[in-house]
Amino acid sequence: MATIVGQTYSTAWTSSASLGISGSATSGSFSTASYARFVGGVISNASSIATSGLRVYQSFDSGTNWDYWSEWAVSACSGSVFSIEIIGNGMKVDYVNGATAASLFRTFWQMRPV
């Protein structure tokens, strides 16, 4: 008989909102102790700003300075998922909407253990 093991992961941030033109959604900062990966997804009916609409920041001093970030442009009406190696002691997520208002914006982020 096979054993099925369920595992839950620590949710770092979720948000669901309407965003106006150039509107933004930002998580608070959170500790990454004992975690190795940061995964998440974004869906919106409007595009983010070009090149850097979604930024995931990492800090080596737990949020005093944001030393490193990964950035992407998110396209309208397509779910996008991300997986990032954690190298810092703290993280935060920032999303900035583009030139069209978004009546639908949802995002979720989880940390995965070592």
Side-chain angles (χ1 to χ4, degrees):
M1 174 186 277
T3 301
I4 298 174
V5 178
Q7 186 172 13
T8 59
Y9 299 105
S10 175
T11 299
W13 182 51
T14 62
S15 182
S16 179
S18 296
L19 297 176
I21 295 170
S22 300
S24 65
T26 303
S27 73
S29 62
F30 40 87
S31 172
T32 58
S34 300
Y35 295 98
R37 296 222 49 92
F38 190 58
V39 299
V42 174
I43 186 167
S44 178
N45 66 341
S47 296
S48 71
I49 61 171
T51 69
S52 62
L54 174 66
R55 281 191 176 172
V56 177
Y57 293 90
Q58 297 195 49
S59 172
F60 297 111
D61 56 11
S62 301
T64 301
N65 297 291
W66 298 103
D67 306 297
Y68 173 79
W69 60 87
S70 302
E71 60 187 14
W72 302 270
V74 178
S75 297
C77 301
S78 63
S80 300
V81 294
F82 307 91
S83 179
I84 303 158
E85 182 176 9
I86 294 174
I87 59 171
N89 297 320
M91 294 184 88
K92 73 176 181 176
V93 180
D94 187 40
Y95 179 87
V96 180
N97 199 37
T100 303
S103 59
L104 166 71
F105 169 78
R106 290 193 316 259
T107 188
F108 61 92
W109 294 88
Q110 295 179 325
M111 292 184 285
R112 302 287 168 92
V114 175

